[in-house]
Amino acid sequence: MLHPLSVCGTIGPMSTSPGAPALGIRATARREVTARIRAEGRRQLASEGAAGLSLRAIARELGMVSSAVYRYVPSRDALLTELILESYSALADVAEAANASVPDQDDLEARWRAVWRAIRGWAFAHPHDYALLYGSPVPGYRAPQDTVAPASRVTGSFAALLVPLATAGGSVPVPVAVPESLSASLESTRAFVGEGVPDDLLLRGLMAWAGMFGAISFELFGQYEGAFADRDTYFDYVIDQWFVLLGGPPA
């Protein structure tokens, strides 16, 4: 439990240098209180789930009157959005760093493995944040447009590998023809990934994207219980199979 609010609405006393501008003090205080609200919100995600997130409960745990929380977060949905934005950004940082960490950027398979393993590692290190992003929708909550850009950063680390795969001329042994109506609906995906990626590779990329999160979610949420013991080797097998299905050379 943190210190109760002082009269001015901040939590506990704050140390400031003599003569510090009042505006700077207030801004610092606001950042600190907002950070504590978010931290308590994340704790509630772990204990109650996203649907159980409550600003009143957060205020109680922080020693604040409930009305004071609304000075920093206007609603439960606004707090959920902030947590989602932070989670997407954190996951994108991990995925992008993994992609960039491969010394030979021409080694598409190594980059592919690095991104998949990094996303899985983050999911298991932050299961409740992962569930907020890729689990069941929160009843009554609709994510605003603000969440699209950070979510696209995660997708971008994955999609960035499709262009070099297409350039390398990778193909599957027996490709399935893309229906014309489906091809026409790929404009937004094609615009995001970039030119030069054929429709069948775009679709296989979308399938691999769903397959990765499906494999992670099944493992994280206990759907593989009793199926096999060596989860790491299984996940690497999934990585390799999807790489080949995208036209990469078999290991």
Side-chain angles (χ1 to χ4, degrees):
M1 180 79 70
L2 300 173
H3 296 295
L5 283 175
S6 66
V7 174
C8 66
T10 60
I11 295 179
M14 295 189 60
S15 59
T16 58
S17 57
L23 181 60
I25 295 173
R26 287 196 295 271
T28 300
R30 185 174 187 83
R31 282 195 301 270
E32 290 187 0
V33 176
T34 301
R36 290 171 178 175
I37 290 171
R38 290 179 181 174
E40 177 57 27
R42 290 199 181 280
R43 192 198 66 77
Q44 279 195 21
L45 284 180
S47 62
E48 309 297 333
L53 191 65
S54 163
L55 292 186
R56 287 183 177 275
I58 288 173
R60 184 169 58 251
E61 289 299 317
L62 296 184
M64 301 169 67
V65 294
S66 58
S67 59
V69 176
Y70 293 93
R71 302 176 194 170
Y72 305 94
V73 183
S75 66
R76 182 213 67 160
D77 284 5
L79 178 57
L80 271 175
T81 297
E82 290 181 11
L83 297 178
I84 288 170
L85 290 171
E86 287 183 347
S87 296
Y88 270 134
S89 295
L91 178 55
D93 288 344
V94 166
E96 290 170 356
N99 198 348
S101 71
V102 177
D104 181 4
Q105 286 289 292
D106 291 330
D107 189 343
L108 299 181
E109 184 176 6
R111 291 168 61 193
W112 182 257
R113 279 175 168 262
V115 170
W116 277 60
R117 287 171 174 170
I119 291 175
R120 176 179 179 246
W122 184 88
F124 276 82
H126 307 276
H128 305 292
D129 295 332
Y130 176 88
L132 180 63
L133 300 181
Y134 301 109
S136 300
V138 180
Y141 173 77
R142 185 178 180 85
Q145 191 68 19
D146 307 22
T147 60
V148 172
S152 297
R153 282 184 59 205
V154 180
T155 313
S157 294
F158 195 89
L161 299 172
L162 294 181
V163 174
L165 273 170
T167 304
S171 61
V172 292
V174 185
V176 177
V178 177
E180 186 176 341
S181 60
L182 188 55
S183 178
S185 68
L186 288 174
E187 290 304 319
S188 61
T189 303
R190 190 178 293 107
F192 177 76
V193 173
E195 296 298 327
V197 180
D199 288 355
D200 67 322
L201 182 53
L202 278 179
L203 289 171
R204 279 181 276 135
L206 289 171
M207 290 164 60
W209 181 242
M212 176 182 66
F213 284 110
I216 291 172
S217 295
F218 262 50
E219 183 181 2
L220 187 63
F221 301 142
Q223 300 300 315
Y224 284 145
E225 291 303 321
F228 42 78
D230 191 348
R231 306 285 176 78
D232 292 341
T233 300
Y234 170 74
F235 193 74
D236 281 346
Y237 181 82
V238 173
I239 293 173
D240 292 343
Q241 286 294 311
W242 272 115
F243 186 70
V244 171
L245 286 171
L246 285 173

